Amino acid sequence: EYTDRVKAMWLAQLFAVHQGWDFEHAPAAVRTIEKYSPRRLKTITENEGATVDDDWYYEMVALAGFEKYGSDMTVDQLGQQWLDYDMGTWGSAFYTRQALLKGVKGADAGHPLNNRMWFTVGNQNRSDLYAMLTPGMPNLTAEISRCLGHVNSYAEGTDGGVLMGVLESMAFYENDVRRLLKKSLQVLAPGSPHRVC
């Protein structure tokens, strides 16, 4: 059952990214998406499968880091993984890479002094892996996401990943979406912009 759920989480990311790809960076566009666009389907067909995207590549690099450093991998070690795998081409990840290349440690790469996009969704896009590794353990998921999220985010930028990771960790045993969200929000401070929203 665990393996099936983890496979479903990876596949859901692949499907969602490919379905939404044509709408990326168009936040005002609202449209029901029921299938791949002809352009996206052509790309997938020509590639013989899903193309590599940062929405899951960062998680694969983090997974390699867990395999290398163990389950207590530090954010500095994750930062080294980013350097080893040439991570960081867009958004907060780009600024993380620039900071790491200047010698800033991973724990400080997401800090506002080193990353002008510290408040964006980078950590939110990477929290699925932490949930996969800590099914049904939301507090541990939150702790890992908050710590490792500092590689490219801070404060409310990190909160998005904490919330998504906790949602997915709890989804291993909670099926009611409304109850799941209500319970998951408790992991964030009452004044957190994500919780308020």
Side-chain angles (χ1 to χ4, degrees):
E1 185 178 340
Y2 168 77
T3 302
D4 288 346
R5 286 179 182 252
V6 167
K7 287 179 182 178
M9 290 169 81
W10 280 114
L11 287 172
Q13 287 187 70
L14 296 172
F15 293 142
V17 166
H18 280 286
Q19 283 187 322
W21 210 317
D22 297 328
F23 306 96
E24 193 165 355
H25 308 294
V30 178
R31 180 188 295 177
T32 301
I33 304 170
E34 297 177 351
K35 57 186 177 182
Y36 296 131
S37 70
R39 185 173 76 177
R40 180 60 27 206
L41 188 57
K42 181 176 184 273
T43 300
I44 294 169
T45 303
E46 288 173 354
N47 192 58
E48 297 181 9
T51 54
V52 175
D53 183 71
D54 63 344
D55 288 337
W56 53 81
Y57 185 66
Y58 288 100
E59 290 174 282
M60 293 177 181
V61 169
L63 183 57
F66 283 120
E67 291 172 346
K68 180 177 181 179
Y69 297 112
S71 61
D72 58 348
M73 176 175 62
T74 67
V75 67
D76 288 342
Q77 291 168 328
L78 179 58
Q80 186 59 52
Q81 284 292 105
W82 279 45
L83 287 174
D84 292 347
Y85 284 84
D86 295 324
M87 300 298 299
T89 57
W90 180 254
S92 64
F94 171 80
Y95 294 105
T96 289
R97 178 158 181 75
Q98 297 308 305
L100 292 169
L101 288 170
K102 292 176 186 172
V104 173
K105 294 291 185 187
D108 297 319
H111 190 279
L113 293 175
N114 300 311
N115 193 317
R116 70 181 199 150
M117 295 186 79
W118 58 271
F119 55 88
T120 60
V121 298
N123 190 45
Q124 186 170 318
N125 292 338
R126 303 179 211 340
S127 61
D128 306 292
L129 175 66
Y130 311 139
M132 291 178 208
L133 298 175
T134 57
M137 296 178 269
N139 291 331
L140 181 56
T141 307
E143 181 182 330
I144 292 169
S145 185
R146 184 158 312 283
C147 174
L148 296 182
H150 283 160
V151 77
N152 75 310
S153 64
Y154 213 76
E156 61 262 33
T158 307
D159 279 352
V162 171
L163 179 60
M164 292 307 297
V166 167
L167 277 164
E168 293 178 63
S169 176
M170 291 177 66
F172 276 88
Y173 64 85
E174 175 62 67
N175 294 323
D176 184 298
V177 176
R178 289 185 182 275
R179 283 193 345 205
L180 177 62
L181 181 58
K182 192 172 184 177
K183 288 179 181 179
S184 297
L185 285 170
Q186 294 175 23
V187 76
L188 299 178
S192 162
H194 278 81
R195 184 169 177 169
V196 171
C197 181

